[in-house]
Amino acid sequence: MNGLTTAFRDLINAPKGILTDPQEQISYATGARHDQGRAALVLRPETTAEVSAVLVCAAAQNITVIPQSGNTGLVSGSTPDDSGEQIILSLDRMNTVFDLNLRNRSVRVGAGMRLSELNARLEPHGLFFPVDLSADPMIGGMIATNTGGSRFLRYGDVRGNALSLTVVLADENGTTLTCGSDLRKNNAGVDWKHVFIGTSGAFGVVTEAVLNLEPLPRHAATALLIPTSPEHTSDILARLERMLGARLSAFEGISGAAARHALDHSPSLRNPFVGGVVPDFMIMVEASQSWDLRDGEPSLDDTLESCLAEIFEEDAALLMDALMGRPEEIWALRHALSEGVKAAGHLYAFDLSFDRGVLCDFLAFMRRDLPQHYPDLEICDFGHFGDGGVHFNLVRPAGPGDATYEAALRQHVSDICVRQFGGSFSAEHGIGRKTQTSYDRYTPDQIKQLADGLKSITSPAPLGAARFGTQS
């Protein structure tokens, strides 16, 4: 191990550039959701050249490198296994690049910059990177997992907002590529940056990115809608999209169980429901606009309220109630859901997506099916219903089951999602050790063989926790 440390210390000669003490490594080797690995080393390069040198050295010794930025992922895609033989390549020191291009409405940033810092630096210019999350990830991790978030409905995911990437390959030369440019339109061949977006760092390590920016919203209006039945969700969404157009920026479904756990876990949250009684299901809606009100233009609150009144008038069977509220209070409840559910017991989390018209059918089916097979679990779902995504969270108050229990549960839910309802087992969390079995199970062999070819061309050395090909 001393020889290994010396080899890399010659490449990253900076205080805390290499972490060998297990106590210093804990936060890097521990994931956000019940996973704990062990690393041989934690390497913290500061430049693309240092990343290249590290990957050359690791490839020569056939050492698996696990790229990591914010380590906020939920599928064990950014942490090592428990062998103690893998190296963590942390990008947390790669946060100094910030090159703002106001005329192009874009920014070049380092992969280690946090989303919160990026948006704080953009705010004085009236701009932001429009991928909204409860967590505070780094840009590199957002690219690796193709993050979507709560405002996907309006702005799309990272893939739709990335203009260019700087990528280092895990090959004998540590080849550095620039994929794309500041151009928004460039149809001169294959758009290679998409090989590295959403593939969990398996094909190369992203060190910098040029990102599209959007005007910062100047006004927002929010409401909690109580439909007469969850099955009306698609109809309500279609009507709001027709009435609000591009101003509809979020449409989130929230189960009563998830909301109750959030309110119990965070007493400072205001309970907005009449008598404090939380409904079984609700929809959080946001409308926003980036311009100041013009003379005679109604406020966004008035506009949203008028839209909801029109829905009531057109079809009273759709909505039971609608509660307008301050955006910061309603978003506080939405962002508290994850921690509230996590605190309710042992969490088995699934990140699923469906055809928008099928999502509520899946949830209705699971509310009938799951108690028959797993009566010890509570369904606490919520998510981005506007784009067909749902965080299908299952809480076991009694604590975790054994490995056999978890494996059977994950296969049961994923089989129903993929094979019965045509959904995806990974809406936006990417592939890691927690989702690897599902990837292996549902991905056609032809696609895996293509991935083998891409892997051999881009990064033939062992890189990342995810496997996209046929080889383990």
Side-chain angles (χ1 to χ4, degrees):
M1 188 61 65
N2 290 336
L4 182 63
T5 303
T6 300
F8 286 106
R9 196 177 300 281
D10 290 341
L11 305 177
I12 307 176
N13 187 17
K16 300 297 183 180
I18 298 180
L19 305 180
T20 58
D21 185 342
Q23 292 302 309
E24 291 183 314
Q25 295 178 2
I26 286 177
S27 63
Y28 294 89
T30 303
R33 185 79 43 86
H34 308 306
D35 58 306
Q36 173 71 60
R38 291 191 304 119
L41 295 172
V42 175
L43 306 179
R44 304 174 65 228
E46 191 174 12
T47 66
T48 296
E50 288 182 344
V51 172
S52 175
V54 164
L55 293 183
V56 168
C57 185
Q61 301 180 64
N62 199 37
I63 299 170
T64 298
V65 175
I66 307 295
Q68 180 185 104
S69 55
N71 197 24
T72 61
L74 303 178
V75 295
S76 302
S78 59
T79 51
D81 60 21
D82 59 4
S83 68
E85 298 176 351
Q86 299 180 336
I87 289 175
I88 297 174
L89 178 63
S90 172
L91 306 180
D92 59 358
R93 294 177 65 230
M94 301 190 70
N95 59 358
T96 58
V97 175
F98 180 85
D99 183 12
L100 180 60
N101 185 338
L102 289 174
R103 292 200 296 180
N104 196 48
R105 213 178 69 235
S106 64
V107 65
R108 177 180 294 276
V109 294
M113 182 167 289
R114 294 233 175 235
L115 179 61
S116 60
E117 180 183 352
L118 173 60
N119 281 332
R121 297 179 71 168
L122 293 172
E123 184 176 6
H125 304 280
L127 299 169
F128 78 129
F129 184 56
V131 181
D132 176 74
L133 296 168
S134 300
D136 187 18
M138 295 177 186
I139 298 303
M142 295 177 70
I143 292 168
T145 57
N146 187 33
T147 304
S150 296
R151 292 186 172 94
F152 180 101
L153 179 67
R154 169 82 171 268
Y155 298 107
D157 53 15
V158 166
R159 189 183 298 279
N161 286 281
L163 303 180
S164 172
L165 304 179
T166 300
V167 183
V168 181
L169 306 183
D171 61 14
E172 62 182 7
N173 299 313
T175 303
T176 300
L177 302 176
T178 298
C179 301
S181 66
D182 290 10
L183 302 180
R184 295 173 182 276
K185 298 176 69 176
N186 184 357
N187 209 21
V190 177
D191 195 345
W192 288 107
K193 65 176 177 286
H194 292 298
V195 172
F196 307 99
I197 300 175
T199 47
S200 304
F203 297 106
V205 179
V206 174
T207 59
E208 293 183 12
V210 177
L211 305 174
N212 168 64
L213 304 176
E214 293 291 339
L216 197 65
R218 302 294 298 270
H219 300 280
T222 53
L224 288 171
L225 313 184
I226 317 301
T228 55
S229 169
E231 70 183 17
H232 296 317
T233 300
S234 294
D235 289 335
I236 296 169
L237 172 59
R239 292 176 190 235
L240 286 173
E241 286 183 320
R242 186 183 72 243
M243 295 172 177
L244 291 168
R247 287 183 292 180
L248 181 62
S249 49
F251 188 93
E252 302 279 297
I254 303 172
S255 67
R260 283 188 287 272
H261 287 309
L263 291 166
D264 289 344
H265 181 65
S266 303
S268 61
L269 290 175
R270 187 180 75 85
N271 187 326
F273 304 105
V274 177
V277 179
V278 179
D280 290 335
F281 179 73
M282 68 207 74
I283 300 167
M284 193 206 86
V285 171
E286 179 192 72
S288 62
Q289 64 187 46
S290 59
W291 64 89
D292 288 325
L293 293 179
R294 303 179 179 94
D295 289 343
E297 184 179 7
S299 72
L300 206 50
D301 284 301
D302 289 342
T303 299
L304 179 57
E305 194 167 352
S306 296
C307 292
L308 297 176
E310 187 175 332
I311 293 175
F312 274 112
E313 292 172 4
E314 288 182 353
D315 192 345
L318 292 181
L319 281 176
M320 185 183 305
D321 201 0
L323 309 172
M324 299 290 292
R326 297 170 59 194
E328 58 270 26
E329 291 185 347
I330 290 182
W331 275 109
L333 174 61
R334 169 62 182 86
H335 287 319
L337 295 175
S338 293
E339 289 303 313
V341 169
K342 185 177 177 181
H346 187 84
L347 181 60
Y348 297 102
F350 297 82
D351 175 46
L352 311 176
S353 69
F354 301 87
D355 174 316
R356 295 195 317 183
V358 172
L359 172 54
C360 287
D361 295 337
F362 165 80
L363 294 175
F365 178 87
M366 293 307 292
R367 280 177 165 76
R368 297 189 302 270
D369 173 86
L370 206 65
Q372 300 177 31
H373 299 90
Y374 296 93
D376 53 341
L377 296 176
E378 180 186 20
I379 300 175
C380 301
D381 58 284
F382 61 88
H384 320 309
F385 282 40
D387 56 62
V390 62
H391 301 296
F392 190 66
N393 298 304
L394 304 177
V395 173
R396 192 169 191 260
D402 60 21
T404 301
Y405 176 99
E406 179 170 0
L409 171 64
R410 291 195 176 279
Q411 181 173 330
H412 181 78
V413 173
S414 298
D415 272 353
I416 293 172
C417 165
V418 176
R419 292 179 170 164
Q420 189 165 336
F421 286 89
S424 170
F425 63 89
S426 180
E428 60 181 2
H429 288 174
I431 305 301
R433 288 189 303 280
K434 287 187 180 295
T435 48
Q436 186 68 58
T437 299
S438 293
Y439 178 87
D440 295 340
R441 184 178 180 84
Y442 306 117
T443 305
D445 288 341
Q446 297 94 325
I447 300 299
K448 294 177 187 175
Q449 289 163 6
L450 284 173
D452 281 334
L454 280 173
K455 174 68 175 169
S456 66
I457 293 170
T458 56
S459 292
L463 181 67
R467 305 187 311 272
F468 290 95
T470 60
Q471 303 300 317
S472 60

